[in-house]
Amino acid sequence: MNCTTELNPCQWHILATKKLDSVLFASVQDCEEAFIKINSLVTTNVGEQWLFEPQQITKTILRADILKDTKSLPEEGSGLLRTTYRSLLPRSPHKDTFIFQKVELLSSPEAVIVEHTPLFCPRDPELPSDFSDFDITTLAPCDCCQDKYPSFHPEVSGYRLYLSRAESVVKAYACFKSEACLDAHSSKATHILGKMLDILVKFMSNHVKGYVKRVNHDVVIPKVPYQNMYHEVKVKFHHWVAKWPEATDPAKFVFEELGIATFLHLLWEKKSSFVDLGCGNGFLTHVLSELGHTGRGIDISRRQIWEMYPKSTVLEVETIVPSSQTYAEEWLVGNHSDELTPWIPVMAALSGYDSKFMILPCCFYDFSGAKYSGVMDGKVGKYENYCLYLQEIMKQCGYVPEPEYLRIPSTKNLAWVGRKRTFERDDKVGEEAVRNQIIAMVQGVHFQPRKSDREKSKIQAEKKRH
């Protein structure tokens, strides 16, 4: 489609209506006061969330990249308040396309309107990486009868979310170029816009209730570099889903490991050496090695899947005795490393000042290799309690704990990074103090490693004989 093409006048139709949540009216005396509150929400907090976090509206959107954002101060508070140009990126770019969009926020004594106009022009399949010389304001609205839309966007020439002073509802209007477009695309548009209204009302209700996110992602690694890198890693390794030989669900496990590998790859910034302790099937070791890092994985038992990796993926069978073990590698990795998890900060600290670690705890174990049964704080759950236990170990080992909730398909997604020390390199007093703290923590502890698969088989065979 030519960018200068002018569309025929739109035909606007109401496709969806949603009654506003009663919580929005609970603290006000009349509808007019309620409208003022809703107006305030949409033009401030909710408006920001709607513009910058469309992935909360539908999971098929990866994120919005804001290309231009202009705020206005209309006379007497009525008129155009904000114009935002953004690109909406799909979560699966090999299946879906991205789309440009202009979003206008308008307010008046009668209504609040959020108008969305999709913008199309001839372009390469990939999103341009540099918009410095790209004037998105020159793009024309799309043609809903001709252009290809991503699956998450209604096939319309524009849509409005309309909150009226006179009614306690929010309406979704869609603009169609012709009756033919209306007949062809109204069903999908009605479904998508209906979902959008549900989310908009939920956003407003959550803000009124004082909802605060329980976790914050992207503290250690920013979201955009992570998502871009994860896409590259996913494209390179997603074929493992089809040939996964393990009993675990590949649709979950493969992508979980790819997310962890992406995080570590960006965390390390440069080619690093690592040892993956309790590596299990070795997939994380394999991916990190293929990404250019030098490392090895160690586990108590050999897995059948190890035969599928190239020789460059180094995997070793060894029973680790953590109380006396140190490593020359720069990074110690504990990904669901079970009974080794609390020991990894200890082994890192004893390996030298420059030794670092990342642990992603799952099952709860203490220094003895038994299930953790320490003091529980009744204010938080078991997982949070165990993380507090690990956090204290990290501090005793002279590390500054850095938590990061990873973007992986798992409820146990809290990783802990130890890369910063609590004392300077030449601080011998601080170093000695940390060493004494470690001795005090593990003194008298008898670590009992788990039995290998071969040992378990022998025990079972003996039991059958008797």
Side-chain angles (χ1 to χ4, degrees):
M1 174 183 171
N2 190 308
C3 290
T4 60
T5 301
E6 291 293 334
L7 293 176
N8 294 330
C10 273
Q11 300 179 21
W12 289 91
H13 301 265
I14 298 177
L15 295 189
T17 301
K18 175 73 175 179
K19 187 174 182 180
L20 295 177
D21 195 321
S22 59
V23 72
L24 297 170
F25 303 96
S27 61
V28 296
Q29 300 302 315
D30 54 37
C31 289
E32 182 171 348
E33 191 177 345
F35 176 76
I36 293 172
K37 180 164 65 173
I38 293 169
N39 189 326
S40 175
L41 284 172
V42 175
T43 55
T44 53
N45 297 338
V46 172
E48 294 278 323
Q49 189 177 10
W50 189 264
L51 283 173
F52 298 123
E53 300 182 53
Q55 68 275 11
Q56 295 187 11
I57 301 170
T58 172
K59 292 181 179 180
T60 53
I61 295 179
L62 178 67
R63 69 172 186 267
D65 284 347
I66 305 301
L67 309 179
K68 187 174 183 179
D69 189 26
T70 306
K71 295 182 179 180
S72 308
L73 292 174
E75 294 183 7
E76 299 180 359
S78 297
L80 181 63
L81 300 179
R82 187 172 195 166
T83 303
T84 305
Y85 290 87
R86 63 182 184 176
S87 59
L88 300 178
L89 278 64
R91 185 168 295 278
S92 301
H94 60 288
K95 296 180 181 178
D96 229 337
T97 183
F98 68 91
I99 191 169
F100 294 122
Q101 196 181 66
K102 178 172 75 169
V103 184
E104 295 174 291
L105 177 60
L106 305 100
S107 180
S108 73
E110 290 74 34
V112 181
I113 302 172
V114 186
E115 184 160 331
H116 307 70
T117 305
L119 307 172
F120 280 178
C121 77
R123 59 187 185 271
D124 294 329
E126 295 296 325
L127 184 67
S129 58
D130 183 7
F131 284 95
S132 57
D133 297 322
F134 181 78
D135 187 1
I136 192 172
T137 63
T138 63
L139 300 184
C142 68
D143 186 335
C144 60
C145 293
Q146 299 181 23
D147 289 313
K148 182 181 178 182
Y149 288 69
S151 61
F152 54 78
H153 198 287
E155 295 180 64
V156 297
S157 295
Y159 61 91
R160 292 174 179 164
L161 306 181
Y162 187 92
L163 294 98
S164 171
R165 172 193 291 273
E167 303 174 273
S168 59
V169 297
V170 56
K171 298 178 181 178
Y173 289 80
C175 167
F176 295 93
K177 181 181 176 182
S178 65
E179 289 295 330
C181 287
L182 173 64
D183 293 340
H185 305 305
S186 62
S187 178
K188 176 184 175 182
T190 300
H191 174 75
I192 294 177
L193 293 176
K195 293 290 185 182
M196 284 187 181
L197 294 189
D198 291 341
I199 297 296
L200 179 61
V201 172
K202 181 180 178 181
F203 282 179
M204 289 191 289
S205 298
N206 285 344
H207 278 285
V208 171
K209 295 173 184 175
Y211 170 78
V212 178
K213 286 178 65 175
R214 289 186 59 208
V215 302
N216 291 311
H217 295 277
D218 317 310
V219 176
V220 177
I221 301 297
K223 179 174 71 173
V224 173
Y226 174 84
Q227 290 179 331
N228 291 343
M229 187 65 210
Y230 177 72
H231 172 60
E232 293 181 25
V233 172
K234 185 177 177 181
V235 168
K236 185 174 182 178
F237 295 100
H238 79 278
H239 63 276
W240 277 93
V241 173
K243 61 178 185 179
W244 191 248
E246 299 280 292
T248 50
D249 178 11
K252 175 184 182 295
F253 186 85
V254 170
F255 296 124
E256 181 176 327
E257 298 295 280
L258 295 182
I260 297 167
T262 300
F263 172 74
L264 288 172
H265 181 69
L266 293 173
L267 176 69
W268 296 346
E269 296 181 344
K270 58 182 178 64
K271 305 304 180 187
S272 298
S273 61
F274 71 94
V275 56
D276 184 1
L277 302 171
C279 66
N281 56 49
F283 188 62
L284 179 61
T285 302
H286 169 64
V287 174
L288 290 172
S289 299
E290 291 294 295
L291 292 176
H293 303 285
T294 303
R296 57 192 173 121
I298 302 175
D299 201 83
I300 197 168
S301 300
R302 187 178 187 82
R303 303 291 183 87
Q304 183 180 357
I305 191 176
W306 289 12
E307 303 297 332
M308 300 176 67
Y309 301 132
K311 291 182 179 180
S312 56
T313 300
V314 180
L315 299 168
E316 303 169 356
V317 176
E318 179 186 334
T319 298
I320 297 172
V321 182
S323 57
S324 59
Q325 186 68 57
T326 59
Y327 294 95
E329 286 86 355
E330 183 181 0
W331 282 86
L332 278 60
V333 176
N335 171 27
H336 295 182
S337 47
D338 293 345
E339 71 274 12
L340 294 176
T341 299
W343 282 100
I344 289 178
V346 174
M347 289 187 284
L350 297 178
S351 296
Y353 187 85
D354 293 321
S355 184
K356 308 172 184 67
F357 67 86
M358 187 285 293
I359 56 175
L360 183 61
C362 179
C363 300
F364 313 153
Y365 289 88
D366 62 20
F367 281 123
S368 70
K371 289 288 187 178
Y372 174 73
S373 58
V375 177
M376 292 289 181
D377 182 349
K379 296 179 181 178
V380 296
K382 290 183 179 180
Y383 183 65
E384 290 82 359
N385 264 299
Y386 186 60
C387 285
L388 290 173
Y389 165 69
L390 295 176
Q391 191 175 354
E392 186 58 33
I393 292 174
M394 297 174 218
K395 292 177 181 177
Q396 293 294 311
C397 291
Y399 288 95
V400 177
E402 293 182 81
E404 178 75 297
Y405 284 91
L406 302 184
R407 293 179 176 274
I408 57 175
S410 173
T411 55
K412 305 289 180 62
N413 63 339
L414 178 54
W416 293 91
V417 175
R419 56 177 173 169
K420 300 174 183 177
R421 306 307 297 267
T422 57
F423 59 95
E424 298 297 328
R425 181 187 299 276
D426 57 356
D427 181 2
K428 299 303 179 183
V429 175
E431 181 181 356
E432 184 63 24
V434 165
R435 184 173 292 274
N436 289 335
Q437 288 169 183
I438 292 174
I439 292 172
M441 274 197 305
V442 301
Q443 194 168 26
V445 173
H446 175 65
F447 176 75
Q448 182 63 47
R450 69 168 61 187
K451 290 179 173 56
S452 68
D453 292 341
R454 180 173 293 181
E455 289 174 318
K456 289 178 182 177
S457 297
K458 286 183 178 179
I459 293 172
Q460 289 175 350
E462 284 293 323
K463 287 181 177 178
K464 287 182 179 179
R465 275 205 243 16
H466 297 289

